[in-house]
Amino acid sequence: MDNRPIGVFDSGLGGLTGVRELRKHLPHEDIIYFGDTGRVPYGSRSPEIILQYTRQDIAFLLSKDVKCIMAACGTVSSTYPAAEAAQLPVPYLGVVDAAAREAAFATRNRRIGIIGTAATIRSRSYEKLLRQLVPGAEITARPCPLFVPLVEAGYVDHSAPDKQQITKLVIAQYLTEIRDAGVDTLILGCTHYPLLKTMIGEFMGRDVVLIDPAKTAAHRLEQMLAERGLRGDHPTGQAHFFVSDVPDSFAQTADLFLGEYKGGPIDQIAIDKY
Ligand code: DGL
């Protein structure tokens, strides 16, 4: 038993989709969340800058005495070196591994699509793993950079029809090639994409399985804590949020990602100090 908090971080607020899943799977755990709202987005940046930011984010969480760290960010999970993660003083989990395994399990025709930020697709993180897991896999991958700003502007599944029209055009623009490749499984490899799941599903067709990495990672973290004897037993787990820009916009946008779960306190920190 270990009642220290779980540390979760993301380039911004998208990682709250991960917090929402953790709340469902691990209701007795405390969570410390860091969203790098002052430096988001990561997905369009160079590997060197992403690594520097990732190290600072992790150093901040470690200063809060977390018992494990989950990178909810697709970009960070795709670029943070496994060798470095293995040296951390607490267990580290990204979102790529569990989602790739789920995709390998789901596919019947070995044709798998991957979408994510430019940095995620460039890293070929999912692709490398899938080629090991699914011999002969045919992989079609593409970055979808407009999805993040569309989601943050509220052009999501449950938005008004005129907003949805715009998102649907962008979905068609990005995903036609993947649909035409005949994939039966599509990895939504970025924190924001699950908020477009219904529209993406309608475009791809109902036979295509959509993999949500936040869900698979939360499930994996639950197993990992149990295996290592690190589960907490708080009567009700609390969440404490930290951001690197003023918290105002956090409160406005957080609802979009958190769903019904209403979070805890929000504080601003100076991430450059870590
Ligand atoms: N959180 C990022 C990801 O999942 C998306 C936003 C960004 O580019 O920083 O890749």
Side-chain angles (χ1 to χ4, degrees), residues 127-209:
E127 198 173 329
K128 287 179 204 155
L129 207 52
L130 282 166
R131 293 210 182 279
Q132 289 168 24
L133 295 167
V134 187
E138 286 176 40
I139 292 165
T140 314
R142 86 151 288 168
C144 303
L146 289 175
F147 283 175
V148 167
L150 277 171
V151 168
E152 294 198 351
Y155 286 57
V156 294
D157 280 340
H158 58 262
S159 58
D162 55 332
K163 287 186 169 179
Q164 284 195 12
Q165 263 332 99
I166 291 170
T167 309
K168 282 178 183 174
L169 281 175
V170 180
I171 288 174
Q173 167 76 23
Y174 283 150
L175 300 190
T176 298
E177 184 196 342
I178 296 185
R179 190 178 64 182
D180 291 352
V183 305
D184 68 357
T185 307
L186 175 63
I187 298 176
L188 308 179
C190 169
T191 44
H192 291 55
Y193 301 176
L195 280 90
L196 306 175
K197 200 170 182 178
T198 304
M199 283 190 270
I200 291 174
E202 278 165 9
F203 181 79
M204 294 300 294
R206 70 164 67 131
D207 294 337
V208 175
V209 179

Side-chain angles (χ1 to χ4, degrees), residues 18-179:
V19 171
R20 187 181 62 196
E21 295 304 324
L22 287 176
R23 284 271 70 107
K24 287 189 211 152
H25 285 266
L26 295 161
H28 303 294
E29 302 287 348
D30 282 352
I31 294 172
I32 300 273
Y33 180 89
F34 174 64
D36 199 359
T37 51
R39 304 190 295 195
V40 69
Y42 285 11
S44 51
R45 295 185 193 274
S46 68
E48 293 76 17
I49 291 287
I50 298 168
L51 182 58
Q52 179 200 324
Y53 289 176
T54 301
R55 286 177 176 151
Q56 289 177 312
D57 302 346
I58 290 175
F60 167 70
L61 289 177
L62 290 173
S63 78
K64 293 283 166 195
D65 193 27
V66 296
K67 62 182 167 187
C68 63
I69 292 177
M70 175 171 141
C73 182
T75 302
V76 168
S77 304
S78 293
T79 52
Y80 189 53
E84 191 165 322
Q87 298 300 317
L88 293 174
V90 296
Y92 165 92
L93 182 80
V95 291
V96 170
D97 197 84
R101 282 174 203 286
E102 182 82 4
F105 181 75
T107 186
R108 294 285 166 262
N109 68 7
R110 294 167 188 251
R111 292 189 196 146
I112 301 169
I114 304 159
I115 52 176
T117 64
T120 294
I121 299 304
R122 197 176 51 221
S123 76
R124 301 177 66 224
S125 57
Y126 281 105
E127 198 173 329
K128 287 179 204 155
L129 207 52
L130 282 166
R131 293 210 182 279
Q132 289 168 24
L133 295 167
V134 187
E138 286 176 40
I139 292 165
T140 314
R142 86 151 288 168
C144 303
L146 289 175
F147 283 175
V148 167
L150 277 171
V151 168
E152 294 198 351
Y155 286 57
V156 294
D157 280 340
H158 58 262
S159 58
D162 55 332
K163 287 186 169 179
Q164 284 195 12
Q165 263 332 99
I166 291 170
T167 309
K168 282 178 183 174
L169 281 175
V170 180
I171 288 174
Q173 167 76 23
Y174 283 150
L175 300 190
T176 298
E177 184 196 342
I178 296 185
R179 190 178 64 182

